[in-house]
Amino acid sequence: MSIPKNPDIRVRFAPSPTGYLHVGGLRTALFNYLFAQKNNGSFILRIEDTDRKRYIPGAQEDLLKTIKEVGLDYDEGPIIGGEYGPYIQSERSDLYRKYAQELIDKGAAYYCFCTEERLEKLRNEAKENNTAVMYDGKCRNLSLEEVQEKLARNIPHVIRLKIPKEGSTVFYDVVRERVEVDNALVDDQVIIKSDGFPTYHLANVVDDHLMKISHVIRGEEWLISVPKHIFMYESLGWKVPKFVHLPLLLNPDKTKLSKRQGDVTVEDYLAKGYLPEALINFIALLGWHSSDDREFYTLEELVKAFSLKRISKSGAVFDVEKLNWMNGWYLRNLGLEYIAEKAKPYFEKAGLDISDHKKYLRVVDNARNRAVTITEMIAHSEMFYKNLTFSDEDKDIISKENTKKLFSFLIERLSSQENWSENEIKGLINETIGAVGVKGKELYFPLRLALFGEVHGPDIPTLIDILGTKEAIARLKSVLNA
Ligand code: GLU
């Protein structure tokens, strides 16, 4: 029997479908998910696609796929629906216009007929004077008649918030604590654009209210917008949700995390063969840590350990080296069959015939101990499947008289028994040293070349074990008879 959800804890992840999920977005989604799960609340996914200029076909589907792949199941949202849908803002347009009108009626918003040229001029002036770009309020006090006359003439317009110019807005953020912003610094934000679509600010506030969101958990870049949002909540007589602004993600040089310094999209990491488990674990520790500074967590363990109180104020460095280390750990420590399953598409794409499942598992087990990502595992696996090619230098090594004796001896001995265990092969190698009289490099280099194509690599018993006795014999024979 499922326990009913706690109606007091409703959080949302509200991405704009930009074509990819930024790692910062994944962190926001994850913290929302963890908080909801921990408190038996609801985790809502809402698509904020009101910026039609930035519409990218397929972006929304890709986003849903990525969210699913990392295992952050939502309780309400696109496809699955829910009591407060639709969960895609472009399907809610009428609502936003209605509340924009209500804000106008209440004197909290106004029509603005300024032309793009005029606004451009204001922006340029602000830049020249080194001041913040702000609307100068020209249309703030147009009379009702003036407004009606302009609307009747179909003059293009937007709707702006009529932010009070005196006083300040004070609010409490769970992470930043008390925040105070001078109202004179808050711009008369456009809430309905000239194309009739709402801006993020209006749509976000309306939906957070209608969807009964209790806690707004999101990136710190939105902190600056809170006074505008509070102004709308209060003007409409709505309860203001609690705010939780997550610290910035930084590059190792402490600049804001940007694409210039490496990958920032979750899709890129997944495509490269980072495991969702590692990504989630790594991302959870960006701006949050438990009281005992533990490093490794499953998603369920994170749910248990998570608390908003332990989110830090200071920016969190996105250290790819740490992610690599963590991914390597997960590769080695998750179930072999699971890793093999995850790696399958990569092996298939590389054109490797992995139909022999037992051999495939041995190959994967070897590679996962040497690689940091699944993509890297391919480089440690190809030689177990492909025909080997040899350079002239290699040929010199494998065609020596001693080497031929070594190969013949091993072919004969290996053929005497169906399957050799790794331990038995170890014994056999010792036996070979005695019988053929070669050891050290003279033994290992040619053998590794013949079995594996390189002089360095896993030890010989491991190689033979991965290849299987039959294939090992075939490889030795092919080199001997070349
Ligand atoms: N659509 C906004 C974004 O993509 C959401 C910000 C918020 O959570 O309020 O970042």
Side-chain angles (χ1 to χ4, degrees), residues 12 14-16 48 200 204 218 222:
R12 85 304 192 268
S16 302
E48 300 208 328
Y200 149 77
N204 189 269
R218 63 185 168 196
W222 298 107

Side-chain angles (χ1 to χ4, degrees), residues 19-178:
Y20 62 88
L21 178 58
H22 190 281
V23 286
L26 178 58
R27 198 234 348 225
T28 300
L30 175 62
F31 284 20
N32 274 287
Y33 172 90
L34 295 176
F35 182 65
Q37 288 280 319
K38 168 111 191 181
N39 296 289
N40 187 36
S42 299
F43 173 50
I44 291 136
L45 179 66
R46 184 174 73 223
I47 303 292
E48 300 208 328
D49 61 345
T50 56
D51 192 350
R52 302 318 278 174
K53 277 199 229 108
R54 286 166 58 194
Y55 176 76
I56 300 171
Q60 186 179 309
E61 291 70 21
D62 290 348
L63 185 77
L64 297 180
K65 191 172 147 246
T66 307
I67 301 270
K68 196 177 164 90
E69 204 171 332
V70 293
L72 300 184
D73 299 336
Y74 49 88
D75 302 300
E76 296 168 29
I79 301 174
I80 61 168
E83 217 182 307
Y84 301 90
Y87 294 89
I88 299 173
Q89 286 189 329
S90 57
E91 295 172 15
R92 301 169 63 83
S93 298
D94 293 349
L95 285 169
Y96 310 127
R97 275 219 82 92
K98 171 176 160 213
Y99 289 108
Q101 188 57 50
E102 199 172 320
L103 285 166
I104 292 178
D105 295 345
K106 290 185 159 152
Y110 61 93
Y111 286 100
C112 171
F113 300 91
C114 288
T115 59
E116 195 37 54
E117 294 74 55
R118 178 165 193 276
L119 297 175
E120 181 67 32
K121 207 170 138 239
L122 287 181
R123 279 194 288 270
N124 289 337
E125 277 168 16
K127 255 187 227 149
E128 271 166 33
N129 301 333
N130 235 339
T131 52
V133 178
M134 276 181 83
Y135 180 61
D136 63 355
K138 181 167 186 275
C139 296
R140 249 174 103 102
N141 297 310
L142 292 180
S143 68
L144 198 59
E145 293 72 38
E146 280 173 303
V147 170
Q148 253 142 24
E149 181 265 330
K150 287 184 195 308
L151 289 179
R153 282 201 288 132
N154 272 334
I155 298 192
H157 59 269
V158 300
I159 299 175
R160 291 181 181 274
L161 287 180
K162 198 169 190 174
I163 302 277
K165 291 296 154 199
E166 318 73 42
S168 62
T169 305
V170 175
F171 62 94
Y172 285 85
D173 181 88
V174 173
V175 178
R176 318 281 338 166
E177 297 167 23
R178 184 180 188 277

Side-chain angles (χ1 to χ4, degrees), residues 414-480:
L414 281 170
S415 309
S416 68
Q417 166 178 331
E418 185 79 5
N419 276 311
W420 292 73
S421 73
E422 236 181 297
N423 251 340
E424 285 171 331
I425 301 166
K426 270 185 204 152
L428 175 60
I429 297 296
N430 287 335
E431 186 191 325
T432 310
I433 295 172
V436 187
V438 289
K439 58 175 189 214
K441 277 189 196 171
E442 280 189 25
L443 175 89
Y444 299 120
F445 280 15
L447 258 184
R448 236 186 240 120
L449 268 177
L451 295 169
F452 181 69
E454 286 172 30
V455 286
H456 298 288
D459 58 19
I460 308 297
T462 307
L463 285 179
I464 297 179
D465 183 59
I466 295 172
L467 288 166
T469 312
K470 233 170 95 193
E471 174 70 12
I473 294 171
R475 287 188 174 203
L476 290 174
K477 275 189 181 160
S478 117
V479 170
L480 189 65

Side-chain angles (χ1 to χ4, degrees), residues 176-187:
R176 318 281 338 166
E177 297 167 23
R178 184 180 188 277
V179 182
E180 178 165 4
V181 182
D182 189 348
N183 288 342
L185 302 175
V186 182
D187 196 16

Side-chain angles (χ1 to χ4, degrees), residues 250-312:
L250 307 173
N251 290 305
D253 66 3
K254 302 283 161 80
T255 54
K256 197 173 163 203
L257 186 66
S258 71
K259 198 148 180 90
R260 261 174 296 123
Q261 300 206 17
D263 291 329
V264 292
T265 83
V266 177
E267 290 82 357
D268 280 345
Y269 284 106
L270 290 173
K272 275 193 194 163
Y274 286 85
L275 296 163
E277 291 81 353
L279 268 176
I280 289 286
N281 191 156
F282 169 74
I283 295 243
L285 300 177
L286 295 176
W288 173 87
H289 63 101
S290 66
S291 49
D292 56 3
D293 275 332
R294 175 175 158 190
E295 294 269 25
F296 289 101
Y297 292 91
T298 62
L299 191 55
E300 295 77 52
E301 288 165 346
L302 281 171
V303 168
K304 282 206 192 95
F306 188 74
S307 89
L308 295 180
K309 283 200 199 84
R310 299 201 62 86
I311 295 175
S312 58

